[in-house]
Amino acid sequence: MPSQDELFEAVDALLEEEPQLPPPEERARLREAAGVTQARLAAVLKTSTQTVKNWENGRSEPKSPRLEAYQRLLKGWAAKYSAHAAHTTLAPAAALQPAPVPGTFTSAPEPTDTVRAPAAPTAPEHPTRPAGRPATSRRAAAKKAAAPTVDPRFPHGPLAVLDGDCSAYAVGGVVLDCPATTVPELVEWTLRESGLGAPKLNRYGNDSDPLIVLTAAAAVKLGLPERLEGHEQRRSLRLPDDHPVVKQVAKAKWQLTQRGFGPWARIYRKAQGRDRQCVQLAVLSWDALDERSWPGVAQMEPADIARVLGVYATRVITPRGSTAVSGLELMTALRPPTKAVRDQETGNWVSGYNAGSLGTEPMDPAPPEATPEHPVVVNSGWSGGFLNEEAYQWVRSVDTLSDEECTLPYAVGLDLNTAFLAAAARLVVGLSAPDHFVGPTFNPKIPGSWLADLSHIELDPRLPSPFTPDGSRPTGPAWYQTHTLAYAQELGYDVHPIEAYLRRETGAYLDPWHDRLKNAYVDTLADLGVIKDLDDAAFLAAMEQHKQNDPALAAVLAAIKATVKGGVGKLRERPQGKHYKEGETWPALARPTWRPDIRAAVISKARVNMHRKLGNMAKMTGLFPLAVLSDCVVYPSPSESPLDFLPYAASGKPQPGAFRLGPTPGLAKLEGVQSMLWAVDLMEKGLNPARHIKGGDAVLDEGE
């Protein structure tokens, strides 16, 4: 038997292995009992006030040499300020947490057991992480608040950002301990212990797979390279198949999707019954968060990244790739292709078609709806032309400018909020394969592609033609989407199609997609101070400063807009890579959501909506645009404010039918202001003022 001295020596050695600190809430109690502020303590320990806050709310732990100094200080305070006078129990966590501010998300409710303060603080025990311990939050229990609607299966929200110190930052300020040192261990931990995930968006769909975002330090710790290089195109970035991490994944009986291990890697096993076994990884240092879609997010602290992605995941969808990929995935999540139906003969439940969806099988487009390299076109020898339903890129001829217009001092740009999203509202599209018709009677209620000659239609040259993307007058027969021909009828012209490819089964497939993204856009703008009931002057003032109010939520707003354009663009994803040959298939064609006809319908309706407003503006105000680029239009103006040229009724209310200011999709906001001389100079050079009205080099982005 060991002697008492030997045991005491062993215990003392164990105690000396790691300095012991009291729980976070006790650290704060001792400091407050001593009458010391966090700022003063930070100055003494030569660190930041935020770091001290993190120590006291459990989000981080001090490192040597501050660890030993902090321990010495806390032991001294503990000897002076006993906890006997403190309450023996704390109030339930939810009662102590202030109401969440708009745009933030809090953690799941803690268990109802009260949190007991230590009876003897003189020798507090420092918590350690036993092997295999379930994931727990290091955030002080008294600081936690109940989120309004939290699925009990996913108490820590949809995602976490993993840093190199084993801290996994979830939504609501929760920080989880993640002991994983390899990618397979990380996947196992995420599925079994993290409490991460999100409920399905449709009763027939699937729960969202948990997302783990890796910082550069976390990637290196897991054996991944800090950067991926050696490829010409970002979308081609992936680890080689013989990389050790890829081998680890395979050895652990996990699989990678065809995308391989790239910036967005999906790791899965075959589902066990109804339970999916899939984890999505995003590697920040491999440019998983594109700067254009997620401005400034990759450079944020892990907790802030978790907040940005958490708001997006809650309002839109848990990111599954680029915003374009997420936009497309959102369509499927809201309109799942199948549902359980009862087999009438056997009585068993089987998978059946979910009405209103695009189904599970890809569908060949009609030849004029395809792209020139598509197998349908190449194999059939099609030479009958293609749909050219694209966004506006139009500059007015300087010869049509009047002297009065040229003497106006300013050029003012208006931008329509998420114009493609507004066009998707109540948009009827085809759900079945196209059928060919010769000499059909035009029906504006049937979605499809129509060959017609609109070259006889002569419109005001101060406006772009509504029938072509560059605004030029058609020169002969061409293919048009239903909305374009319907608008020709609306303008009073006869339409006599030569032939058509039409779809018999139709539906408003994009309705739930539109509704969810519209709510996300409006709610996020409201959190930034741009609410619906502002008058026009207040709206312009709020928009001028909304990005400064909260850069994190401004990044969410940018991602929502990119999701709209990218999702529409993905409906006609072109082949990638220099080795592609015409007539070959490419991966996107295997998707039921490869639907160029739906993309054409959205863009056609958006362009028609723009032209209708342009025409109404001319009728109401006599003003004609200088240029249009996608959803941005530039007008000559007597002042720097659009309030001085937009049409208002005698009551002061905006006139319906023209451009109106406001925060909802389809309404307008100020894009930028330049001098009229600047705009005319660009027009004379054949350049588009709408592209540069912000003062930078704005680029047309349709998400492709």
Side-chain angles (χ1 to χ4, degrees), residues 103-147:
T104 61
F105 293 85
T106 52
S107 61
E110 286 294 288
T112 55
D113 296 343
T114 54
V115 181
R116 300 191 178 276
T122 53
E125 185 175 348
H126 180 67
T128 59
R129 186 189 299 111
R133 188 189 74 178
T136 56
S137 169
R138 295 204 308 261
R139 190 181 180 196
K143 297 287 185 181
K144 292 206 171 197

Side-chain angles (χ1 to χ4, degrees), residues 414-425 513-514 517-522 525 543 556-566 568 602 605-606 609-610 613 630-632 662-669 671 701:
L414 294 176
D415 180 73
L416 295 183
N417 302 321
T418 57
F420 287 175
L421 186 61
W513 186 80
H514 162 271
L517 285 168
K518 176 185 176 181
N519 290 337
Y521 181 83
V522 171
L525 260 183
M543 286 299 297
V556 175
L557 190 70
I560 292 169
K561 293 189 286 187
T563 301
V564 173
K565 283 193 173 181
V568 172
V602 172
K605 186 179 175 184
N609 287 347
M610 172 66 83
K613 294 179 189 296
S630 188
D631 46 13
C632 177
T664 55
L667 298 186
K669 60 181 180 292
E671 179 74 357
D701 178 14

Side-chain angles (χ1 to χ4, degrees), residues 23-27 50 53-61 90 93-94 96-101 104-111 115 127 133 135-147 150 155-156 167-177 303:
E25 61 268 25
E26 177 65 6
R27 304 170 199 174
Q50 183 59 52
K53 290 180 180 179
N54 291 343
W55 294 346
E56 292 187 355
N57 64 24
R59 291 180 67 173
S60 67
E61 298 290 337
L90 299 179
L96 295 176
Q97 179 70 11
V101 298
T104 61
F105 293 85
T106 52
S107 61
E110 286 294 288
V115 181
R133 188 189 74 178
T136 56
S137 169
R138 295 204 308 261
R139 190 181 180 196
K143 297 287 185 181
K144 292 206 171 197
V150 173
H156 297 133
S167 299
Y169 296 81
V171 298
V174 173
V175 186
L176 308 173
D177 291 323

Side-chain angles (χ1 to χ4, degrees), residues 4 28 194 257 353 382 389 517 603-604 635 653 657:
Q4 186 181 63
S194 70
T257 61
Y353 172 67
W382 173 262
E389 300 288 10
L517 285 168
I603 298 177
S604 168
Y635 274 102
K653 292 185 178 181

Side-chain angles (χ1 to χ4, degrees), residues 288-348:
L289 298 181
D290 175 62
E291 180 65 21
R292 289 180 63 188
S293 300
W294 301 96
V297 177
Q299 291 75 45
M300 292 180 179
E301 293 298 317
D304 295 322
I305 296 173
R307 179 185 175 223
V308 170
L309 297 180
V311 174
Y312 179 89
T314 304
R315 294 182 175 176
V316 182
I317 192 173
T318 304
R320 302 182 184 182
S322 66
T323 48
V325 169
S326 296
L328 200 67
E329 294 271 1
L330 180 63
M331 294 179 194
T332 303
L334 293 168
R335 292 274 200 192
T338 62
K339 66 178 181 180
V341 296
R342 188 181 294 277
D343 187 308
Q344 296 299 325
E345 295 183 2
T346 66
N348 296 329

Side-chain angles (χ1 to χ4, degrees), residues 160 231 296 318 443 446 474 529 532 535 603 699:
H231 293 275
T318 304
N443 187 333
I446 300 178
K532 290 182 180 180
D535 62 36
I603 298 177
V699 178

Side-chain angles (χ1 to χ4, degrees), residues 180-203:
T181 58
T182 66
V183 169
E185 288 178 0
L186 174 62
V187 173
E188 296 278 359
W189 174 84
T190 303
L191 292 175
R192 288 173 170 72
E193 303 178 31
S194 70
L196 296 173
K200 55 193 175 186
L201 299 180
N202 182 286
R203 60 182 297 193

Side-chain angles (χ1 to χ4, degrees), residues 349-417:
W349 288 97
V350 296
S351 179
Y353 172 67
N354 183 25
S357 75
L358 298 182
T360 59
E361 297 299 322
M363 184 183 300
D364 280 340
E369 297 167 349
T371 55
E373 66 272 14
H374 194 284
V376 163
V377 174
V378 175
N379 296 338
S380 67
W382 173 262
S383 59
F386 300 94
L387 276 176
N388 189 24
E389 300 288 10
E390 302 294 342
Y392 267 134
Q393 295 190 64
W394 172 79
V395 179
R396 183 173 158 193
S397 170
V398 292
D399 296 337
T400 64
L401 293 174
S402 67
D403 292 340
E404 183 182 357
E405 286 176 314
C406 290
T407 57
L408 290 172
Y410 295 102
V412 175
L414 294 176
D415 180 73
L416 295 183
N417 302 321

